[in-house]
Amino acid sequence: MRIAGVELGGTKCVCVLSQDGATIVEARRVDTTDPETTMAAIEEALDQWRGFDAIGIASFGPIGIDATSASYGHITATTKPGWANTDVAGRLQRRYDVPTAFHTDVVGAGLAEGQWGAAKGLHDHAYITIGTGVGVGLISQDKPVVGLTHQELGHVRPVRMAGDDWPGICSFHGDCVEGLASGPAIKARAGVAANEIAEHSPIWPQVAHPIAQLCHTLVLTGIPRRIVFGGGVALGVPWLLPMIRRMLDESLGSYGDRSLLGNLDAYIVPAALGAEAGPLGAILLGQHALG
């Protein structure tokens, strides 16, 4: 079972090949520039491995995942210049004529963390990335949770922290979670990157609060048995997750059966697979394409 995987990110793309559906034997990095240049480079990489049985694509979004829709396989209303309405999955499926699966990069990473990483052994979990953007992948019974489309929970509007009226930077929603807590949002608010801000800066509670509100929302869906955090901000700021845990605890209060969550130190955890989560997730999507 040879599976090709494509992790298409906003700044780079990683193309990989697996011979067994579990390990990567070859990999090639491609810069994400304009759509035609990037897609041609992806095809050049995959052409070297022709003969694979399926392709899994884990892409930045928003994307079309409804196979009955004309937008299926496309990147849709993205903020990345030039990429709106780009056909990704259809183009690769036509070129290689193999089963092809297409989902978000956060879902791919979430699948990998469930199979081999920080949510191993759990069939239901959530993966949140805090980096250039804020994205959420919900996994239930080892499969992505889908309905009308994929989750866009990074764009929910949280209850604002008392006294914080900063407007946020999301071009669509202003003060959604992504507009308040992504890496670019932190830099816009502070004037410096997240890794340059001291631990006791008043900015950190203002960043942690909307993320804790996002976790509150996820807990109330009744799905995740664990929430796994990835991305440069979440993994690069060691005091952020403890602050999120405390704020989540305060926000939930005594509502519901809190014993289900257990110790929040074990409920909200950092990702374990690092940069391999996305490419491995693309391989798992390729397995799903084979049924």
Side-chain angles (χ1 to χ4, degrees), residues 99-123:
T100 302
F102 186 59
H103 221 298
T104 63
D105 48 1
V106 284
V107 159
L111 288 170
E113 288 288 343
Q115 183 77 12
W116 299 291
K120 184 178 179 179
L122 299 176
H123 300 296

Side-chain angles (χ1 to χ4, degrees), residues 253-266:
S254 59
Y255 182 77
D257 185 353
R258 291 293 303 277
S259 68
L260 292 173
L261 301 187
N263 185 338
L264 289 183
D265 288 347

Side-chain angles (χ1 to χ4, degrees), residues 69-136:
S69 169
S71 67
Y72 174 74
H74 290 63
I75 293 171
T76 57
T78 181
T79 57
K80 188 165 180 61
W83 279 85
N85 304 313
T86 296
D87 183 6
V88 175
R91 174 170 169 162
L92 295 181
Q93 199 280 329
R94 289 188 295 271
R95 185 179 182 91
Y96 299 104
D97 193 26
V98 295
T100 302
F102 186 59
H103 221 298
T104 63
D105 48 1
V106 284
V107 159
L111 288 170
E113 288 288 343
Q115 183 77 12
W116 299 291
K120 184 178 179 179
L122 299 176
H123 300 296
D124 317 294
H125 65 281
Y127 178 88
I128 302 178
T129 182
I130 310 289
T132 303
V134 176
V136 179

Side-chain angles (χ1 to χ4, degrees), residues 54-277:
I55 305 172
I57 307 163
S59 174
F60 72 88
I63 60 174
I65 62 169
D66 181 354
T68 66
S69 169
S71 67
Y72 174 74
H74 290 63
I75 293 171
T76 57
T78 181
T79 57
K80 188 165 180 61
W83 279 85
N85 304 313
T86 296
D87 183 6
V88 175
R91 174 170 169 162
L92 295 181
Q93 199 280 329
R94 289 188 295 271
R95 185 179 182 91
Y96 299 104
D97 193 26
V98 295
T100 302
F102 186 59
H103 221 298
T104 63
D105 48 1
V106 284
V107 159
L111 288 170
E113 288 288 343
Q115 183 77 12
W116 299 291
K120 184 178 179 179
L122 299 176
H123 300 296
D124 317 294
H125 65 281
Y127 178 88
I128 302 178
T129 182
I130 310 289
T132 303
V134 176
V136 179
L138 268 177
I139 309 298
S140 180
Q141 292 302 297
D142 301 318
K143 295 181 180 179
V145 175
V146 296
L148 179 66
T149 185
H150 57 82
Q151 292 84 52
E152 281 290 355
L153 286 160
H155 289 271
V156 299
R157 282 194 162 119
V159 174
R160 296 299 302 271
M161 183 177 180
D164 180 17
D165 58 1
W166 188 64
I169 66 163
C170 176
S171 59
F172 291 99
H173 311 116
D175 62 350
C176 61
V177 176
E178 180 169 296
L180 294 170
S182 64
I186 294 168
K187 186 171 183 179
R189 187 197 285 259
V192 294
N195 61 2
E196 300 178 57
I197 303 172
E199 177 178 358
H200 298 294
S201 167
I203 283 176
W204 287 119
Q206 296 167 340
V207 170
H209 188 268
I211 302 172
Q213 290 289 296
L214 173 58
C215 291
H216 182 131
T217 300
L218 287 169
V219 168
L220 296 185
T221 66
I223 293 173
R225 300 176 186 274
R226 183 170 294 159
I227 299 175
V228 179
F229 274 87
V233 173
L235 300 181
V237 180
W239 50 85
L240 185 58
L241 292 190
M243 192 176 293
I244 291 168
R245 293 183 190 109
R246 290 194 299 271
M247 288 185 169
L248 173 62
D249 186 54
E250 293 168 3
S251 183
L252 289 171
S254 59
Y255 182 77
D257 185 353
R258 291 293 303 277
S259 68
L260 292 173
L261 301 187
N263 185 338
L264 289 183
D265 288 347
Y267 184 76
I268 291 179
V269 301
L273 298 177
E276 287 200 338

